[in-house]
Coordinates of all heavy atoms in Angstrom, one line a residue:
M1 N 4.7 24.1 -24.2 CA 6.1 24.2 -24.0 C 6.4 25.1 -22.7 O 5.7 26.1 -22.5 CB 6.8 24.8 -25.2 CG 8.3 24.7 -25.2 SD 9.1 25.0 -26.7 CE 9.1 26.8 -26.7
E2 N 7.3 24.6 -21.9 CA 7.6 25.4 -20.6 C 8.6 26.5 -20.7 O 8.5 27.4 -20.0 CB 8.0 24.4 -19.6 CG 6.9 23.4 -19.1 CD 7.3 22.6 -18.0 OE1 8.4 22.8 -17.4 OE2 6.5 21.7 -17.6
R3 N 9.6 26.3 -21.6 CA 10.6 27.4 -21.7 C 11.2 27.4 -23.1 O 11.1 26.4 -23.9 CB 11.7 27.1 -20.7 CG 12.4 25.8 -20.9 CD 13.4 25.6 -19.7 NE 14.2 24.4 -19.9 CZ 13.8 23.2 -19.7 NH1 12.6 22.9 -19.2 NH2 14.6 22.2 -19.9
M4 N 11.7 28.6 -23.5 CA 12.3 28.8 -24.8 C 13.6 28.0 -24.9 O 14.2 27.6 -23.9 CB 12.6 30.2 -25.0 CG 11.3 31.1 -25.3 SD 10.5 30.6 -26.8 CE 11.3 31.5 -28.0
G5 N 14.0 27.7 -26.1 CA 15.3 27.1 -26.4 C 15.2 25.6 -26.6 O 16.2 25.0 -27.0
L6 N 14.0 25.0 -26.3 CA 13.9 23.6 -26.5 C 13.7 23.2 -28.0 O 14.1 22.2 -28.4 CB 12.7 23.0 -25.7 CG 12.8 23.2 -24.2 CD1 11.5 22.7 -23.5 CD2 14.0 22.4 -23.6
L7 N 13.0 24.1 -28.7 CA 12.7 23.9 -30.1 C 13.0 25.2 -30.9 O 13.1 26.2 -30.3 CB 11.2 23.6 -30.3 CG 10.6 22.5 -29.5 CD1 9.1 22.6 -29.7 CD2 11.1 21.2 -29.9
K8 N 13.1 25.0 -32.2 CA 13.3 26.2 -33.1 C 12.4 25.9 -34.3 O 12.2 24.8 -34.7 CB 14.7 26.5 -33.4 CG 15.4 25.4 -34.2 CD 16.9 25.8 -34.4 CE 17.7 24.8 -35.2 NZ 17.7 23.5 -34.7
E9 N 12.0 27.0 -35.0 CA 11.3 26.9 -36.2 C 12.1 26.1 -37.2 O 13.3 26.3 -37.4 CB 11.0 28.3 -36.8 CG 9.9 29.0 -36.0 CD 9.4 30.3 -36.6 OE1 9.5 30.5 -37.8 OE2 9.1 31.2 -35.8
G10 N 11.4 25.2 -37.9 CA 12.1 24.4 -38.9 C 12.4 23.0 -38.4 O 12.7 22.1 -39.2
D11 N 12.4 22.8 -37.1 CA 12.6 21.5 -36.5 C 11.5 20.5 -37.0 O 10.4 20.8 -37.0 CB 12.6 21.5 -35.0 CG 13.8 22.1 -34.4 OD1 14.8 22.3 -35.1 OD2 13.9 22.3 -33.1
V12 N 11.9 19.3 -37.4 CA 11.0 18.2 -37.7 C 11.0 17.2 -36.6 O 12.1 16.7 -36.3 CB 11.3 17.6 -39.1 CG1 10.4 16.4 -39.3 CG2 11.3 18.6 -40.2
L13 N 9.9 17.0 -35.9 CA 9.9 16.2 -34.7 C 8.8 15.1 -34.8 O 7.8 15.3 -35.4 CB 9.6 17.0 -33.5 CG 10.6 18.2 -33.2 CD1 10.0 19.1 -32.2 CD2 11.9 17.6 -32.7
P14 N 9.1 14.0 -34.1 CA 8.0 12.9 -34.1 C 6.9 13.4 -33.2 O 7.0 14.2 -32.3 CB 8.8 11.7 -33.4 CG 9.9 12.4 -32.6 CD 10.3 13.6 -33.4
V15 N 5.7 12.8 -33.5 CA 4.5 13.1 -32.7 C 4.0 11.8 -32.2 O 3.8 10.8 -32.9 CB 3.4 13.8 -33.6 CG1 2.2 14.0 -32.8 CG2 4.0 15.1 -34.1
T16 N 3.7 11.7 -30.9 CA 3.2 10.5 -30.2 C 1.8 10.7 -29.9 O 1.4 11.7 -29.3 CB 4.0 10.2 -28.9 OG1 5.4 10.1 -29.3 CG2 3.6 8.9 -28.3
E17 N 1.0 9.7 -30.2 CA -0.5 9.8 -29.9 C -0.8 9.2 -28.6 O -0.3 8.1 -28.3 CB -1.2 9.1 -31.1 CG -2.7 9.1 -30.9 CD -3.4 8.5 -32.1 OE1 -3.5 7.2 -32.1 OE2 -3.9 9.2 -32.9
G18 N -1.7 9.8 -27.8 CA -2.2 9.3 -26.6 C -3.7 9.2 -26.7 O -4.3 10.0 -27.4
K19 N -4.3 8.2 -26.1 CA -5.7 7.9 -26.2 C -6.4 8.2 -24.8 O -6.0 7.6 -23.8 CB -6.0 6.5 -26.7 CG -7.5 6.2 -26.9 CD -7.7 5.0 -27.6 CE -9.1 4.5 -27.8 NZ -10.1 5.5 -27.7
L20 N -7.5 8.9 -24.9 CA -8.4 9.1 -23.7 C -9.7 8.4 -24.1 O -9.9 8.0 -25.2 CB -8.6 10.6 -23.5 CG -7.3 11.4 -23.1 CD1 -7.7 12.9 -23.2 CD2 -6.8 11.0 -21.8
P21 N -10.6 8.2 -23.1 CA -11.9 7.5 -23.4 C -12.6 8.0 -24.6 O -13.2 7.3 -25.4 CB -12.7 7.7 -22.1 CG -11.6 7.8 -21.1 CD -10.5 8.6 -21.7
G22 N -12.7 9.4 -24.8 CA -13.4 9.9 -26.0 C -12.7 10.7 -26.9 O -13.2 11.4 -27.8
S23 N -11.3 10.8 -26.8 CA -10.6 11.6 -27.6 C -9.1 11.2 -27.7 O -8.7 10.2 -27.0 CB -10.6 13.1 -27.1 OG -10.1 13.2 -25.8
Y24 N -8.3 12.0 -28.4 CA -6.9 11.7 -28.6 C -6.1 13.0 -28.2 O -6.6 14.1 -28.4 CB -6.5 11.3 -30.0 CG -7.1 10.0 -30.4 CD1 -8.4 9.8 -30.9 CD2 -6.4 8.8 -30.2 CE1 -8.9 8.6 -31.2 CE2 -6.9 7.6 -30.5 CZ -8.2 7.5 -31.0 OH -8.7 6.3 -31.3
Y25 N -4.9 12.9 -27.8 CA -4.0 14.0 -27.6 C -2.6 13.6 -28.2 O -2.3 12.5 -28.4 CB -3.9 14.4 -26.1 CG -3.2 13.3 -25.3 CD1 -1.8 13.4 -25.0 CD2 -4.0 12.3 -24.7 CE1 -1.3 12.4 -24.2 CE2 -3.4 11.4 -23.9 CZ -2.0 11.4 -23.7 OH -1.4 10.5 -22.9
Y26 N -1.8 14.6 -28.4 CA -0.5 14.4 -29.0 C 0.6 15.1 -28.2 O 0.5 16.2 -27.7 CB -0.5 14.9 -30.5 CG -1.6 14.2 -31.3 CD1 -2.8 14.7 -31.4 CD2 -1.3 13.0 -31.8 CE1 -3.8 14.0 -32.0 CE2 -2.3 12.3 -32.5 CZ -3.5 12.8 -32.6 OH -4.5 12.1 -33.3
T27 N 1.8 14.4 -28.2 CA 3.0 14.9 -27.5 C 4.0 15.1 -28.6 O 4.3 14.2 -29.4 CB 3.5 13.9 -26.5 OG1 2.4 13.6 -25.6 CG2 4.7 14.4 -25.7
L28 N 4.7 16.2 -28.6 CA 5.6 16.6 -29.6 C 7.0 16.3 -29.1 O 7.5 16.7 -28.1 CB 5.5 18.1 -29.9 CG 6.4 18.7 -31.0 CD1 6.1 18.0 -32.3 CD2 6.2 20.2 -31.1
G29 N 7.8 15.5 -29.9 CA 9.1 15.1 -29.6 C 9.3 14.4 -28.3 O 8.4 13.6 -27.9
K30 N 10.3 14.8 -27.5 CA 10.5 14.2 -26.2 C 9.8 15.0 -25.1 O 10.4 15.5 -24.2 CB 12.0 14.1 -25.9 CG 12.7 13.2 -26.9 CD 14.2 13.2 -26.6 CE 14.9 12.3 -27.6 NZ 16.4 12.2 -27.4
A31 N 8.5 15.1 -25.3 CA 7.6 15.8 -24.4 C 7.9 17.3 -24.3 O 7.8 17.9 -23.3 CB 7.7 15.2 -23.0
Y32 N 8.3 17.9 -25.5 CA 8.5 19.3 -25.6 C 7.3 20.1 -25.4 O 7.2 21.2 -24.8 CB 9.2 19.7 -26.9 CG 10.6 19.1 -27.1 CD1 10.9 18.4 -28.2 CD2 11.6 19.3 -26.2 CE1 12.1 17.8 -28.4 CE2 12.8 18.8 -26.4 CZ 13.1 18.0 -27.5 OH 14.4 17.5 -27.7
A33 N 6.2 19.6 -26.0 CA 4.9 20.2 -25.9 C 3.8 19.2 -26.1 O 4.0 18.1 -26.6 CB 4.8 21.3 -27.1
M34 N 2.6 19.6 -25.6 CA 1.4 18.7 -25.7 C 0.3 19.4 -26.3 O 0.1 20.6 -26.1 CB 1.1 18.2 -24.3 CG 0.0 17.2 -24.2 SD -0.3 16.6 -22.6 CE 0.7 15.2 -22.6
S35 N -0.6 18.7 -27.0 CA -1.7 19.3 -27.7 C -2.9 19.4 -26.8 O -2.9 18.8 -25.7 CB -2.1 18.5 -28.9 OG -2.7 17.3 -28.5
A36 N -3.9 20.0 -27.3 CA -5.3 19.9 -26.7 C -5.8 18.5 -27.0 O -5.2 17.7 -27.7 CB -6.2 21.0 -27.3
N37 N -7.0 18.2 -26.6 CA -7.7 17.0 -26.9 C -8.4 17.1 -28.2 O -9.0 18.1 -28.5 CB -8.7 16.6 -25.8 CG -7.9 16.2 -24.5 OD1 -6.7 16.0 -24.5 ND2 -8.6 16.3 -23.4
Y38 N -8.4 16.0 -29.1 CA -9.0 16.1 -30.4 C -10.0 14.9 -30.5 O -9.7 13.8 -30.0 CB -8.0 15.9 -31.5 CG -7.1 17.2 -31.6 CD1 -6.0 17.3 -30.9 CD2 -7.6 18.3 -32.4 CE1 -5.2 18.5 -31.0 CE2 -6.8 19.4 -32.5 CZ -5.7 19.5 -31.8 OH -4.9 20.7 -31.9
A39 N -11.1 15.1 -31.1 CA -12.2 14.1 -31.3 C -11.6 13.1 -32.3 O -10.7 13.3 -33.0 CB -13.4 14.8 -31.9
V40 N -12.3 11.9 -32.3 CA -11.9 10.8 -33.2 C -11.8 11.2 -34.6 O -10.8 10.9 -35.3 CB -12.8 9.6 -33.0 CG1 -12.5 8.5 -34.0 CG2 -12.8 9.1 -31.6
G41 N -12.7 12.0 -35.1 CA -12.7 12.5 -36.5 C -11.6 13.5 -36.8 O -11.3 13.7 -38.0
E42 N -10.9 14.0 -35.8 CA -9.8 15.0 -36.0 C -8.4 14.3 -35.8 O -7.4 15.0 -35.8 CB -9.9 16.1 -35.0 CG -11.2 16.9 -35.2 CD -11.4 17.9 -34.0 OE1 -11.2 17.6 -32.9 OE2 -11.7 19.1 -34.4
R43 N -8.4 13.0 -35.7 CA -7.2 12.3 -35.4 C -6.2 12.5 -36.5 O -6.5 12.5 -37.7 CB -7.6 10.8 -35.3 CG -6.5 9.9 -34.7 CD -7.1 8.6 -34.5 NE -6.1 7.6 -34.0 CZ -6.3 6.4 -33.9 NH1 -7.4 5.8 -34.2 NH2 -5.3 5.6 -33.5
L44 N -4.9 12.6 -36.1 CA -3.8 12.7 -37.1 C -3.5 11.4 -37.7 O -3.5 10.4 -37.1 CB -2.5 13.3 -36.4 CG -2.6 14.7 -35.9 CD1 -1.3 15.0 -35.1 CD2 -2.7 15.7 -37.0
K45 N -3.1 11.5 -39.0 CA -2.7 10.2 -39.7 C -1.1 10.2 -39.7 O -0.6 9.1 -39.8 CB -3.2 10.3 -41.1 CG -4.7 10.2 -41.1 CD -5.2 10.3 -42.5 CE -6.7 10.3 -42.5 NZ -7.3 11.3 -43.2
T46 N -0.5 11.3 -39.7 CA 1.0 11.4 -39.7 C 1.6 11.3 -38.4 O 0.9 11.7 -37.4 CB 1.4 12.6 -40.5 OG1 2.9 12.5 -40.7 CG2 1.1 13.9 -39.8
R47 N 2.8 10.9 -38.2 CA 3.5 10.9 -36.9 C 4.7 11.7 -36.9 O 5.6 11.5 -36.1 CB 3.9 9.4 -36.6 CG 2.7 8.5 -36.4 CD 1.9 8.9 -35.1 NE 0.7 8.2 -35.0 CZ -0.5 8.7 -35.1 NH1 -0.6 10.0 -35.3 NH2 -1.6 8.0 -35.0
E48 N 4.7 12.8 -37.8 CA 5.9 13.7 -37.8 C 5.4 15.1 -38.2 O 4.5 15.2 -39.0 CB 6.9 13.2 -38.8 CG 8.2 14.0 -38.9 CD 9.1 13.3 -39.8 OE1 9.0 13.5 -41.0 OE2 10.0 12.5 -39.3
G49 N 5.9 16.1 -37.5 CA 5.5 17.5 -37.9 C 6.6 18.4 -37.9 O 7.7 18.2 -37.3
K50 N 6.4 19.6 -38.6 CA 7.5 20.6 -38.7 C 7.0 21.8 -37.8 O 5.9 22.3 -38.0 CB 7.6 21.0 -40.1 CG 8.7 22.1 -40.4 CD 8.8 22.4 -41.8 CE 9.8 23.5 -42.1 NZ 9.9 23.8 -43.5
V51 N 7.9 22.3 -37.0 CA 7.6 23.5 -36.2 C 7.7 24.7 -37.1 O 8.6 25.0 -37.7 CB 8.7 23.6 -35.0 CG1 8.4 24.9 -34.2 CG2 8.6 22.4 -34.1
V52 N 6.5 25.4 -37.1 CA 6.5 26.6 -38.0 C 6.3 27.9 -37.2 O 6.4 29.0 -37.7 CB 5.3 26.5 -39.0 CG1 5.6 25.4 -40.0 CG2 4.0 26.3 -38.4
G53 N 6.1 27.8 -35.9 CA 6.0 29.0 -35.0 C 6.1 28.7 -33.5 O 5.6 27.6 -33.1
I54 N 6.6 29.6 -32.8 CA 6.7 29.5 -31.3 C 6.3 30.9 -30.8 O 6.9 31.9 -31.2 CB 8.1 29.1 -30.8 CG1 8.5 27.8 -31.4 CG2 8.1 29.1 -29.3 CD1 9.9 27.4 -31.2
E55 N 5.3 30.9 -29.9 CA 4.8 32.2 -29.5 C 4.7 32.2 -27.9 O 4.3 31.2 -27.3 CB 3.4 32.4 -30.0 CG 2.7 33.7 -29.5 CD 1.3 33.8 -30.1 OE1 0.9 33.0 -30.9 OE2 0.7 34.8 -29.6
E56 N 5.2 33.3 -27.3 CA 5.1 33.4 -25.8 C 3.9 34.3 -25.5 O 3.8 35.3 -26.1 CB 6.4 34.0 -25.3 CG 6.4 34.1 -23.8 CD 7.6 34.7 -23.2 OE1 8.5 35.1 -24.0 OE2 7.7 34.8 -21.9
T57 N 3.1 33.8 -24.6 CA 1.9 34.5 -24.1 C 1.9 34.5 -22.6 O 2.8 33.9 -22.0 CB 0.6 33.9 -24.6 OG1 0.4 32.6 -23.9 CG2 0.6 33.6 -26.1
Q58 N 1.0 35.2 -22.0 CA 0.9 35.2 -20.6 C 0.6 33.9 -20.0 O 0.9 33.6 -18.9 CB -0.2 36.2 -20.1 CG 0.1 37.7 -20.4 CD -0.9 38.6 -19.9 OE1 -2.1 38.2 -19.7 NE2 -0.6 39.9 -19.7
K59 N 0.0 33.0 -20.8 CA -0.4 31.6 -20.4 C 0.8 30.6 -20.6 O 0.7 29.5 -20.1 CB -1.6 31.1 -21.1 CG -2.8 31.9 -20.7 CD -4.0 31.3 -21.3 CE -5.3 32.0 -20.9 NZ -6.5 31.3 -21.4
G60 N 1.8 31.0 -21.3 CA 3.0 30.1 -21.6 C 3.3 30.2 -23.0 O 3.0 31.1 -23.7
Y61 N 4.1 29.2 -23.5 CA 4.5 29.1 -24.8 C 3.6 28.3 -25.7 O 3.2 27.2 -25.2 CB 6.0 28.5 -24.9 CG 7.0 29.4 -24.2 CD1 7.3 29.2 -22.9 CD2 7.6 30.4 -24.9 CE1 8.3 30.0 -22.3 CE2 8.5 31.3 -24.3 CZ 8.9 31.0 -23.0 OH 9.8 31.8 -22.4
F62 N 3.4 28.7 -26.9 CA 2.5 27.9 -27.8 C 3.3 27.6 -29.0 O 3.9 28.5 -29.6 CB 1.3 28.7 -28.2 CG 0.3 28.8 -27.1 CD1 0.4 29.7 -26.1 CD2 -0.8 27.9 -27.0 CE1 -0.5 29.8 -25.0 CE2 -1.7 27.9 -26.0 CZ -1.5 28.9 -25.0
V63 N 3.3 26.3 -29.4 CA 4.1 25.8 -30.6 C 3.1 25.5 -31.7 O 2.1 24.8 -31.4 CB 4.9 24.6 -30.2 CG1 5.6 24.1 -31.4 CG2 5.8 24.9 -29.0
T64 N 3.3 26.0 -32.9 CA 2.5 25.7 -34.0 C 3.3 24.7 -34.9 O 4.4 25.0 -35.2 CB 2.2 27.0 -34.8 OG1 1.5 27.9 -34.0 CG2 1.3 26.7 -36.0
V65 N 2.6 23.6 -35.2 CA 3.2 22.5 -36.0 C 2.5 22.3 -37.2 O 1.2 22.3 -37.2 CB 3.3 21.2 -35.1 CG1 4.0 20.1 -35.9 CG2 4.1 21.5 -33.9
E66 N 3.1 22.1 -38.4 CA 2.5 21.8 -39.7 C 2.7 20.3 -40.0 O 3.7 19.7 -39.7 CB 3.3 22.6 -40.7 CG 2.7 22.6 -42.1 CD 3.5 23.6 -43.0 OE1 4.6 23.2 -43.3 OE2 3.0 24.7 -43.2
F67 N 1.6 19.7 -40.5 CA 1.6 18.3 -40.8 C 1.3 18.1 -42.3 O 0.5 18.9 -42.9 CB 0.5 17.6 -40.0 CG 0.8 17.7 -38.5 CD1 0.1 18.6 -37.7 CD2 1.7 16.8 -37.9 CE1 0.4 18.7 -36.4 CE2 2.0 16.9 -36.5 CZ 1.3 17.8 -35.8
D68 N 1.7 17.1 -42.9 CA 1.5 16.7 -44.3 C 0.2 16.0 -44.4 O 0.2 14.8 -44.7 CB 2.6 15.9 -44.9 CG 3.9 16.7 -45.0 OD1 3.8 17.9 -45.2 OD2 5.0 16.1 -45.0
E69 N -0.9 16.6 -44.1 CA -2.3 16.0 -44.2 C -3.2 16.9 -45.0 O -3.2 18.1 -44.8 CB -2.8 15.7 -42.9 CG -2.1 14.7 -42.1 CD -2.8 14.1 -40.9 OE1 -4.0 14.4 -40.7 OE2 -2.1 13.4 -40.2

């Protein structure tokens, strides 16, 4: 996430899956945040997540999302 105020804890947002040659990545909502790359065995089954935390660090903002899996 690039700046505060786009999301808040408790928001339930759609998750869009993207495919790379050897892994998958996820985009939260309308491109509010993007995940790291995940191996095929770590692929998400659900397409919706709940924001449970937002943290500001020197590297930027990190969003923690909870899934029903």
